[in-house]
Amino acid sequence: MLIRLLLLSSLLLTSINSGGAGVTSAFIRNEWPSVDIPLDNEVFAVPEGYNAPQQVHITQGDYDGKAVIISWITTREPGSNTVRYGLSEGKYNFTAEGTVQRYMFYNYKSGFIHQCLLDGLQHDTKYYYEIGNGDSSRKFWFQTPPEIGPDSSYKFGIIGDLGQTYNSLSTLKHSMQTGAQTILFVGDLSYADRYDKHDVSVRWDSWGRFVEQSAAYQPWIWSAGNHEIEYFPHMGEITPFTNYLHRYPTPYTASRSSSPLWYAVRRASAHIIVLSSYSPFVKYTPQWKWLEQELKKVDREKTPWLIVVMHAPMYNSNDAHFMEGESMRLVFESWFCHYKVDAVFAGHVHAYERSVHLFTQLVLIDLIIVMMVMN
């Protein structure tokens, strides 16, 4: 029943439904300048070989952790959609065929985006996989989680608001040293929306190469933040989340969600619910109706930990983004209390906070006390 939660980034706010403070980690991030790393830096290097797969990342591909979705991009031509995989390095006894797509954003035409589902996997098993052709093929591995159950121990890392600065690199390197088996990502991926026109999608490409060193091996459970919206009328781009949704798939249909922006998975002893802070969530909307049903499906006998992931925090004593999550709190907090959610992890505010259990007016008193102490 042990879930180990590693809070890996100072760009993170968590609201934990249990008491107790203390030291989360001895890690202190180096004071790198918080500016984007230049595109010619080695952390963004394109892999060697003609049309070599790049920006490789994986996420859970089903409800219970027996499938993964592998995604990658080729730039010159589509190339192979096949993933070769097996239980021994270099011995690939299984294959799976994926899909390929491209999209336009302003005057940028994406590379060939491959997505492939590997399902029917064994729990608690290390798999090796290979993508690409010939000398340009690339090899990776992943570990499936233990079978769903109350005694399944598991370690999650939590990252939010990562970007692609020197601080981002420090956070990413630290997360890879902690032994986290899966990353819960609480929104704001690339910060590409700080750029304009063609450069927006160029920075999505660089970010994909940047996080590959982790995301090709450990599943990242995605949630969207405000920097994924990318509403740019001056560029003719008025459909939200275009870059994000084309590049980062989620297993939303496995939990009967109607949108990849909100969904649920079960992993080891945890039931994880991902919500979208920037999609409609008031009564009768698709997200509201879906969450109402998903909470009823939680089985504490199998998954004693109930975790909610979102971007905008419901509670926040920092001046930055203060009360931006208030609307969602008013809609969903009573449900979280009724179903005894154990932890809510959020991002958005670039300062770390955690709290004891909070609810309505009692919380307002606690927050006033906290703010008075801080001031």
Side-chain angles (χ1 to χ4, degrees), residues 23-28 174:
V23 178
T24 299
S25 172
F27 171 68
I28 300 176
H174 172 63

Side-chain angles (χ1 to χ4, degrees), residues 5 14-21 305-306 340-345 354-358:
L5 299 169
T14 64
S15 173
I16 300 180
N17 201 355
S18 59
W305 288 88
L306 177 55
K340 296 180 172 59
V341 170
D342 293 290
V344 177
F345 296 109
R354 58 178 174 175
S355 69
V356 296
H357 56 279
L358 306 171

Side-chain angles (χ1 to χ4, degrees), residues 89-320:
E89 188 171 8
K91 295 182 180 180
Y92 309 113
N93 299 322
F94 311 104
T95 61
E97 293 295 320
T99 62
V100 62
Q101 63 173 325
R102 304 183 81 177
Y103 72 97
M104 292 290 299
F105 190 83
Y106 186 60
N107 65 356
Y108 169 94
K109 191 170 186 178
S110 76
F112 299 92
I113 302 172
H114 302 256
Q115 296 172 357
C116 185
L117 176 68
L118 277 56
D119 58 4
L121 304 175
Q122 302 174 38
H123 277 125
D124 203 16
T125 302
K126 188 173 185 177
Y127 285 89
Y128 299 85
Y129 69 99
E130 181 181 44
I131 53 178
N133 294 321
D135 293 338
S136 299
S137 64
R138 302 186 66 202
K139 301 175 181 179
F140 306 91
W141 56 263
F142 62 85
Q143 177 88 22
T144 55
E147 188 173 356
I148 301 298
D151 298 318
S152 293
S153 177
Y154 205 69
K155 183 183 288 186
F156 290 99
I158 305 164
I159 302 179
D161 304 77
L162 185 58
Q164 42 196 306
T165 69
Y166 291 97
N167 283 334
S168 311
L169 178 60
S170 175
T171 294
L172 187 62
K173 290 295 187 183
H174 172 63
S175 75
M176 295 169 62
Q177 297 169 3
T178 60
Q181 295 162 284
T182 289
I183 299 296
L184 302 180
F185 195 89
V186 297
D188 282 0
L189 285 71
S190 68
Y191 284 76
D193 64 339
R194 291 179 170 178
Y195 293 82
D196 197 28
K197 299 181 179 179
H198 185 86
D199 292 339
V200 175
S201 297
V202 168
R203 276 295 180 170
W204 275 101
D205 286 329
S206 61
W207 195 81
R209 293 192 294 272
F210 175 64
V211 299
E212 180 190 271
Q213 57 191 294
S214 169
Y217 302 92
Q218 289 82 33
W220 286 38
I221 307 300
W222 302 107
S223 63
N226 55 295
H227 286 284
E228 280 69 73
I229 298 173
E230 296 183 330
Y231 177 71
F232 296 137
H234 72 285
M235 295 164 49
E237 294 297 338
I238 58 174
T239 302
F241 305 108
T242 295
N243 283 296
Y244 171 75
L245 290 177
H246 278 93
R247 295 168 181 262
Y248 293 93
T250 65
Y252 68 100
T253 58
S255 59
R256 299 185 178 180
S257 167
S258 59
S259 170
L261 296 171
W262 58 86
Y263 62 98
V265 296
R266 303 195 302 179
R267 200 164 182 89
S269 53
H271 192 125
I272 301 161
I273 293 176
V274 176
L275 298 179
S276 177
S277 298
Y278 304 100
S279 301
F281 53 77
V282 297
K283 194 171 184 179
Y284 307 125
T285 60
Q287 186 170 197
W288 184 93
K289 288 184 175 181
W290 172 82
L291 181 59
E292 181 184 34
Q293 296 304 313
E294 183 63 29
L295 286 169
K296 294 176 182 177
K297 292 161 57 178
V298 176
D299 184 350
R300 295 287 188 160
E301 295 297 320
K302 294 181 179 180
T303 52
W305 288 88
L306 177 55
I307 297 171
V308 174
V309 174
M310 61 180 65
H311 185 63
M314 290 184 171
Y315 293 103
N316 164 33
S317 69
N318 196 293
D319 287 342

Side-chain angles (χ1 to χ4, degrees), residues 55-71:
Q55 304 177 50
V56 184
H57 56 89
I58 66 174
T59 192
Q60 185 161 319
D62 66 351
Y63 198 55
D64 285 337
K66 296 184 68 177
V68 300
I69 302 170
I70 300 177
S71 303

Side-chain angles (χ1 to χ4, degrees), residues 51-54 72-80 100 111-114:
N51 206 43
Q54 60 171 273
W72 70 96
I73 291 179
T74 53
T75 58
R76 301 291 187 86
E77 59 183 79
S80 172
V100 62
F112 299 92
I113 302 172
H114 302 256

